[in-house]
Amino acid sequence: DAKTTQPPSMDCAEGRAANLPCNHSTISGNEYVYWYRQIHSQGPQYIIHGLKNNETNEMASLIITEDRKSSTLILPHATLRDTAVYYCIFGGSQGNLIFGKGTKLSVKP
Amino acid sequence: DAGVIQSPRHEVTEMGQEVTLRCKPISGHNSLFWYRQTMMRGLELLIYFNNNVPIDDSGMPEDRFSAKMPNASFSTLKIQPSEPRDSAVYFCASSHRRNHNSPLHFGNGTRLTVT
């Protein structure tokens, strides 16, 4: 079973920030949090990952709470092309990630 | 970087036939993963390899499924005999295991339809 909890769907206005929450209360100290997204009919695309510090790259920012039990993925200026299913995952010392159902983000004009 | 390459992109076959799906991981990556995606069950991890060695195949649904990785640049997932319930999109992913937190890179999948 998936070990993270995400809202099944969210809407966001184009040009606004999209904030996607994730609960991962059972994460252990050395496990990273990963975010992927999947645009219809394509393979999952890696977005960002982090351990305990906030991270930022060209795609998004990742905010991890101090207790590491939850995180938020931030798309600073959402576009229509960001419409996708977003997966929050952790775990697998071998890199084997177990995907849940994710959050379906709809960016609307 | 060509990314993870899967073939074929689409496969339609009749029940009972053998199906072979192919994957070429990103050069230099030493871990390879096979996932299956359906509407009902989402993304499921079937099996993964480290340095060409199968590590965990507990996700393989039945003995009809088998996977091999004869070398670092090629893997196959075989279904024999195929059944309609095997219809799904099959994804291959690879990562570089030198850093245990390396992300997975996915191919664009093979859409399998078994009639």
Side-chain angles (χ1 to χ4, degrees), chain B residues 3-14:
Chain B
V4 176
I5 299 173
Q6 293 187 245
S7 64
R9 286 300 309 274
H10 303 273
E11 177 79 37
V12 180
T13 190
E14 293 183 347

Side-chain angles (χ1 to χ4, degrees), chain A residues 34 36 38 93-94 97, chain B residues 35 37 48 50 97 101 104:
Chain A
Y34 299 83
Y36 289 76
Q38 188 173 25
S93 61
Q94 300 283 346
L97 301 178
Chain B
Y35 285 83
Q37 186 172 37
Y48 69 94
N50 283 343
R97 293 300 302 151
N101 60 322
L104 304 185

Side-chain angles (χ1 to χ4, degrees), chain A residues 20-99:
Chain A
L20 291 87
C22 177
N23 288 323
H24 34 78
S25 58
T26 61
I27 194 169
S28 63
N30 61 349
E31 290 179 318
Y32 282 71
V33 179
Y34 299 83
W35 283 83
Y36 289 76
R37 72 180 182 183
Q38 188 173 25
I39 297 170
H40 181 62
S41 80
Q42 298 181 15
Q45 176 190 23
Y46 164 75
I47 301 172
I48 197 168
H49 71 286
L51 182 62
K52 55 183 179 181
N53 297 320
N54 297 338
E55 302 287 345
T56 296
N57 63 19
E58 65 279 4
M59 291 181 68
S61 294
L62 175 60
I63 309 297
I64 302 173
T65 58
E66 191 170 345
D67 63 8
R68 301 208 331 116
K69 293 184 177 181
S70 64
S71 62
T72 300
L73 179 74
I74 301 173
L75 307 178
H77 305 286
T79 71
L80 299 179
R81 289 176 295 179
D82 292 322
T83 293
V85 177
Y86 287 77
Y87 297 98
C88 165
I89 313 147
F90 71 90
S93 61
Q94 300 283 346
N96 50 320
L97 301 178
I98 307 301
F99 286 74

Side-chain angles (χ1 to χ4, degrees), chain B residues 34-54:
Chain B
W34 282 101
Y35 285 83
R36 177 174 70 174
Q37 186 172 37
T38 61
M39 288 292 292
M40 290 295 295
R41 300 175 67 88
L43 267 166
E44 302 174 277
L45 177 64
L46 300 178
I47 184 172
Y48 69 94
F49 297 81
N50 283 343
N51 297 318
N52 312 338
V53 176

Side-chain angles (χ1 to χ4, degrees), chain B residues 73-94:
Chain B
S73 59
F74 184 65
S75 177
T76 60
L77 178 67
K78 184 177 295 186
I79 308 172
Q80 166 63 19
S82 58
E83 297 183 3
R85 59 189 167 136
D86 301 331
S87 297
V89 181
Y90 291 81
F91 291 103
C92 175
S94 69

